Amino acid sequence: MNALDQLRAPVAPAHPAVRTGAGNGHCCSTCPLPGLCDDSSRRGLPDALLESVLEQQHLQAGATLYMAGQRRSSIWVISTGALKSCELDLEGREQVVGFHGPGDVLGLERIEISEHRGFALALEPTSVCRIPVGKLLDRLTTAPELWREVLRIAGSQIARAREVHRVLGQLQTGQRLAWFLLEGTGPRRDACQCSGATVIQLPMPRQDIASYLGMTLETVSRSFGALQREGLVSVQGRTVRLLDPARLAERIVPQAAHA
Amino acid sequence: MNALDQLRAPVAPAHPAVRTGAGNGHCCSTCPLPGLCDDSSRRGLPDALLESVLEQQHLQAGATLYMAGQRRSSIWVISTGALKSCELDLEGREQVVGFHGPGDVLGLERIEISEHRGFALALEPTSVCRIPVGKLLDRLTTAPELWREVLRIAGSQIARAREVHRVLGQLQTGQRLAWFLLEGTGPRRDACQCSGATVIQLPMPRQDIASYLGMTLETVSRSFGALQREGLVSVQGRTVRLLDPARLAERIVPQAAHA
DNA sequence: CGAGCGGTTGAGGGAACTCAAGCAGGGTGG
DNA sequence: CCACCCTGCTTGAGTTCCCTCAACCGCTCG
């Protein structure tokens, strides 16, 4: 599945892991940091022209956006596609700490720090807008209102991480998967009308979901199976149809989903 | 134990959960956001005078800094003491998502968002500097260099949260506790010379440690016992002496600490 | 065709949870 | 003063959830 397919597909428009850039029109119209990449006079230009102005990077599935040890020099705004970001431990084992879709901002966590500790990798063909840190700081000096946006985005990423902490801390595996399906994965999940989305196209393999949720891939598979047996979802590979989002949501309540 | 005792105590100066504000002198000399609370002309004033200028809040143990549902209006910089911040789920159960000590900045995660979802509570007598959001934004406009500091702090909190994600995701309970003892809890843990600290005074009960690390208080207790039986630490209530930090650190390596 | 990858399913064991009892320390009141 | 309670912590016994190990399936690709 590539980004173009997603744009055309009538299903699955809403899950954060696969949401499309702008729906209709260029992703700049929904950019969370408008005016950062260059002056805003060019807004309204044809998409093809915009492409030529932007500092865009295109990644194939499996390509890395940045790697551990690499000197950090940019932040990125995702236009289309999906990425995962990972941390590495001392033994080199990877831990998925985030999935990111169009509109998400990457790299804020290491701004002002010399090099990356983890890495980010495209899960499918992906394009991002690169914003050099120098330009970011310049812009912030001359256009202080951008400030609030960046701070808002950083704050929402912190809040998001706390939510994940809660999920890993007090939900059991089946509940974590239900949460994952409903709440999605990006810092901008608020923009996702979850109840309306009934079909999800997951861009990541089971192993990545397992890592992200702190469980094994077998348990992810079994949990999918359990949810399916109960009629809550219908699973076929990476296509998941939410048959009963309301009852699925009940599952997320900690301790005893008494129903 | 109160903040003053800690300042005097010859032991346990370094653990993030109990580190002292400035060591010697007023906490402003080590403030991560100097010049934010007011103009910087007063730096160098006697401590007593500084106190009168600052918008300081003093909290008794158990007092809340902010509560769920409360309209957000400030960020805070901790001067002395210790706090925990918690998230609440739909059933009102609390999940500890952070412990904070002197120098830590609270409230960035909800900036620009109307109300708090969780709460923060003092674990011991605590004083904080309150910075109204309005003043923060004003300062940032007139003094754009502050910018980098705020962004750096927010970034380090994101990075910190990712580290916690990794710990909850791939370490078992005994390893999580070892990590907690060594790496501490605050976003400024880098300032802590962990290897030098041999005695830790924990300001929080077992239940809070358990919640933070995603385990039960019984398991926390048993894990302390296990570490003690192996001669790695010596535990007496909330006083923990690190007998062998090096071997303790080996424990944190995921999967098999083959030793 | 076989190899490789991603995913599913099963059997068994172990880590951590639940439930429960017991203990130490601190405060209060008779 | 001691009895009493209450809170925080420890320890034990039994159970459950989830991990580990393994086999198997379907698909793609060489």
Side-chain angles (χ1 to χ4, degrees), chain A residues 193-235:
Chain A
Q193 66 282 22
C194 292
S195 55
T198 56
V199 178
I200 297 171
Q201 275 295 337
L202 299 169
M204 73 292 283
R206 297 287 190 266
Q207 175 60 62
D208 286 345
I209 300 175
S211 173
Y212 181 70
L213 295 176
M215 44 206 271
T216 61
L217 82 171
E218 295 98 327
T219 304
V220 170
S221 187
R222 273 186 258 269
S223 298
F224 268 129
L227 290 176
Q228 178 159 331
R229 248 174 281 116
E230 300 182 59
L232 298 178
V233 302
S234 154
V235 184

Side-chain angles (χ1 to χ4, degrees), chain B residues 153-175:
Chain B
I153 292 168
S156 72
Q157 289 187 14
I158 296 172
R160 176 67 178 177
R162 294 185 164 201
E163 170 83 358
V164 172
H165 189 155
R166 186 182 69 78
V167 168
L168 294 188
Q170 60 182 220
L171 298 191
Q172 14 194 29
T173 56
Q175 298 177 306

Side-chain angles (χ1 to χ4, degrees), chain B residues 32-250:
Chain B
L33 293 170
L36 231 183
C37 49
D38 218 314
D39 66 34
S40 54
S41 63
R42 55 175 173 60
R43 259 180 278 180
L45 292 181
D47 287 4
L49 204 52
L50 272 177
E51 294 278 352
S52 67
V53 175
L54 293 172
E55 274 198 59
Q56 279 210 322
Q57 278 180 270
H58 296 277
L59 300 169
Q60 294 188 327
T64 56
L65 183 61
Y66 58 82
M67 288 160 52
Q70 194 173 333
R71 181 160 179 73
R72 75 133 8 290
S73 57
S74 315
I75 66 173
W76 299 269
V77 182
I78 304 179
S79 307
T80 60
L83 298 99
K84 66 171 177 179
S85 52
C86 305
E87 294 282 291
L88 292 171
D89 60 43
L90 299 173
E91 300 231 301
R93 275 167 42 115
E94 84 177 52
Q95 166 71 44
V96 178
V97 295
F99 296 111
H100 314 282
D104 290 348
V105 179
L106 266 73
L108 287 178
E109 76 282 359
R110 281 290 160 187
I111 214 148
E112 298 286 344
I113 291 186
S114 56
E115 56 180 47
H116 290 284
R117 260 200 326 187
F119 63 92
L121 182 146
L123 294 164
E124 59 186 29
T126 295
S127 61
V128 300
C129 294
R130 192 175 85 88
I131 299 168
V133 169
K135 181 178 281 186
L136 171 65
L137 296 176
D138 287 352
R139 289 275 167 181
L140 288 167
T141 306
T142 58
E145 67 280 3
L146 266 175
W147 225 126
R148 304 178 71 118
E149 273 315 293
V150 176
L151 193 50
R152 188 188 58 74
I153 292 168
S156 72
Q157 289 187 14
I158 296 172
R160 176 67 178 177
R162 294 185 164 201
E163 170 83 358
V164 172
H165 189 155
R166 186 182 69 78
V167 168
L168 294 188
Q170 60 182 220
L171 298 191
Q172 14 194 29
T173 56
Q175 298 177 306
R176 292 181 206 171
L177 189 62
W179 172 85
F180 177 75
L181 293 175
L182 285 175
E183 303 285 327
T185 57
R188 276 179 71 213
R189 75 183 187 286
D190 296 335
C192 150
Q193 66 283 21
C194 290
S195 55
T198 56
V199 178
I200 297 171
Q201 276 293 338
L202 299 170
M204 74 292 283
R206 297 287 190 269
Q207 174 60 61
D208 287 344
I209 299 175
S211 172
Y212 181 70
L213 295 177
M215 43 206 272
T216 61
L217 82 172
E218 293 98 328
T219 304
V220 170
S221 188
R222 274 185 257 267
S223 298
F224 268 128
L227 290 177
Q228 178 159 323
R229 248 174 280 119
E230 299 182 61
L232 299 177
V233 301
S234 154
V235 185
Q236 254 187 339
R238 298 189 184 176
T239 304
V240 180
R241 185 179 301 267
L242 305 185
L243 301 175
D244 194 340
R247 268 209 299 153
L248 204 55
E250 289 175 9

Side-chain angles (χ1 to χ4, degrees), chain A residues 76-88:
Chain A
W76 299 270
V77 182
I78 305 180
S79 306
T80 60
L83 297 101
K84 66 172 177 178
S85 52
C86 304
E87 295 282 292
L88 292 171

Side-chain angles (χ1 to χ4, degrees), chain A residues 134-248:
Chain A
K135 181 177 282 187
L136 171 65
L137 296 177
D138 287 351
R139 289 278 166 179
L140 288 168
T141 305
T142 58
E145 67 278 4
L146 267 176
W147 224 126
R148 305 177 70 119
E149 273 315 293
V150 177
L151 194 51
R152 187 188 58 75
I153 291 168
S156 73
Q157 289 187 13
I158 296 172
R160 176 67 176 178
R162 295 186 162 200
E163 170 84 358
V164 173
H165 189 154
R166 186 183 70 78
V167 168
L168 294 188
Q170 59 182 220
L171 298 190
Q172 10 196 28
T173 55
Q175 298 176 306
R176 290 182 208 171
L177 189 63
W179 172 85
F180 177 75
L181 293 175
L182 285 175
E183 303 286 328
T185 57
R188 276 180 71 212
R189 75 181 187 288
D190 297 335
C192 148
Q193 66 282 22
C194 292
S195 55
T198 56
V199 178
I200 297 171
Q201 275 295 337
L202 299 169
M204 73 292 283
R206 297 287 190 266
Q207 175 60 62
D208 286 345
I209 300 175
S211 173
Y212 181 70
L213 295 176
M215 44 206 271
T216 61
L217 82 171
E218 295 98 327
T219 304
V220 170
S221 187
R222 273 186 258 269
S223 298
F224 268 129
L227 290 176
Q228 178 159 331
R229 248 174 281 116
E230 300 182 59
L232 298 178
V233 302
S234 154
V235 184
Q236 254 185 341
R238 298 189 184 177
T239 304
V240 180
R241 184 179 302 266
L242 305 185
L243 300 176
D244 195 339
R247 267 207 301 151
L248 203 55

